[in-house]
Amino acid sequence: MAQRQKGAQFVTLGCVLSIGILAACGGPAQEDAEGPRPGPSREFDPDEEGVFGPGGASLTNALSGDFLGRGTEEGNSLPVNKFLWQASLDTLSFLPLASTDPFTGVIATDWGASPTDPGERFKVTAYMVRPALAASSLKVAVYRELRNGEGVWVPAPVDPETSRKLEDAILVRARQIRIAELDGSSTG
């Protein structure tokens, strides 16, 4: 019994101390009640080193496609392989496009119903994650929904082979586009 009372006193003491500490930290000080205090004014200095190096990242750079302020040299935006990009657009053209972002390398389709089964629909997102024309540069996510008896679309499992087959089809098409470009430049 005495042990229990000591434990309760310890918990009570801990609560009182916690409340006291929070009260000391919480309320506004008298000087803060008047509003923000004036401080030294700071002007923008374009030569000051930014968070991401000289020039830093800025909205101006991002809007121009020069995300990291590297100037107009080659490689001034996020690298997306042009062959993978075009091949992804070609391969996924059987579905309506929802969004494309060539700066980040993401192509997202909207839902498209299967012509053979109107109770099933698919959506695909392709990610170009590296600038090389290689299998490791491309990731494809496939989403599938089925219409239930009440007419509501519900998520359904997708065979992992479906994503792999789409990736393979995109890679084959990308290589075809690259070869066609090389043949065209060597004859011209």
Side-chain angles (χ1 to χ4, degrees), residues 2-68:
Q3 190 83 353
R4 209 180 254 174
Q5 284 180 340
K6 258 189 189 179
Q9 289 174 344
F10 183 71
V11 170
T12 304
L13 179 61
C15 289
V16 169
L17 286 175
S18 297
I19 290 170
I21 291 170
L22 289 174
C25 295
Q30 185 62 29
E31 63 212 41
D32 289 342
E34 298 170 10
R37 288 177 269 158
S41 64
R42 185 164 174 194
E43 303 219 359
F44 173 72
D45 181 5
D47 296 324
E48 183 178 320
E49 187 169 316
V51 175
F52 298 107
S58 71
L59 181 59
T60 305
N61 291 344
L63 291 175
S64 71
D66 184 12
F67 295 103
L68 299 176

Side-chain angles (χ1 to χ4, degrees), residues 69-172:
R70 289 185 265 181
T72 57
E73 310 96 41
E74 191 176 326
N76 62 352
S77 64
L78 296 177
V80 174
N81 185 287
K82 68 179 183 177
F83 303 114
L84 281 177
W85 181 260
Q86 186 59 51
S88 297
L89 289 172
D90 291 353
T91 305
L92 299 175
S93 65
F94 69 96
L95 292 169
L97 287 177
S99 68
T100 59
D101 187 351
F103 296 110
T104 60
V106 177
I107 298 173
T109 71
D110 204 352
W111 291 103
S114 168
T116 58
D117 184 5
E120 177 180 43
R121 66 183 187 172
F122 295 91
K123 180 165 131 172
V124 177
T125 304
Y127 305 93
M128 271 113 316
V129 296
R130 290 187 185 79
L133 178 53
S136 62
S137 299
L138 177 69
K139 301 292 178 215
V140 173
V142 179
Y143 307 93
R144 178 175 168 239
E145 289 185 340
L146 297 173
R147 191 183 311 240
N148 66 13
E150 299 161 1
V152 177
W153 292 103
V154 293
V158 178
D159 183 1
E161 281 295 301
T162 306
S163 293
R164 192 189 60 74
K165 286 179 182 178
L166 275 172
E167 288 172 359
D168 289 347
I170 291 170
L171 288 165
V172 166

